């Protein structure tokens, strides 16, 4: 589970939690941001998942072309629209 608050109830249900710092509620334990609500957390999550994806690409040796084929299949869109 990727979350800013692994200590919350949902974190207890996960086998693994990763704390991604960011602001959700504006509490003292969060990273302060001038951005509204959870914008900073969402941006941090996008970057974190991109980094994990790039590491997996490197580790598995999969090509970007192969990833594109799989991604389009997951979306259910024909290649001409993706």
């Amino acid at each position: 589970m990727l979350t800013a608050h692994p200590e919350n109830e949902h974190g207890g249900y996960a086998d693994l939690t990763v704390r991604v710092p960011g602001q959700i509620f504006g509490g003292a334990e969060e990273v302060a941001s001038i951005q509204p609500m959870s914008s900073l957390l969402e941006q941090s999550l996008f970057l974190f998942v991109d980094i994990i994806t790039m590491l997996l690409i490197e580790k598995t040796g999969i090509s970007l072309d192969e990833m594109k084929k799989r991604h389009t299949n997951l979306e259910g869109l024909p290649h001409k629209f993706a």
Side-chain angles (χ1 to χ4, degrees):
M1 175 179 181
L2 304 177
T3 178
H5 292 282
E7 73 281 358
N8 282 357
E9 181 182 357
H10 293 109
Y13 296 123
D15 292 327
L16 174 70
T17 59
V18 176
R19 181 179 184 274
V20 179
Q23 176 179 290
I24 299 177
F25 306 113
E29 69 283 356
E30 295 180 345
V31 175
S33 175
I34 61 170
Q35 295 178 297
M37 297 170 279
S38 62
S39 293
L40 177 62
L41 175 65
E42 291 167 358
Q43 293 165 3
S44 298
L45 287 168
F46 284 132
L47 289 171
F48 181 80
V49 172
D50 272 355
I51 290 167
I52 296 298
T53 302
M54 288 187 285
L55 290 171
L56 286 170
I57 289 169
E58 184 179 306
K59 184 175 179 104
T60 63
I62 192 169
S63 71
L64 290 177
D65 286 336
E66 183 62 31
M67 285 188 67
K68 288 177 189 176
K69 290 176 192 174
R70 291 178 184 188
H71 181 72
T72 301
N73 287 341
L74 290 173
E75 289 178 337
L77 296 174
H79 289 278
K80 65 182 179 180
F81 293 115

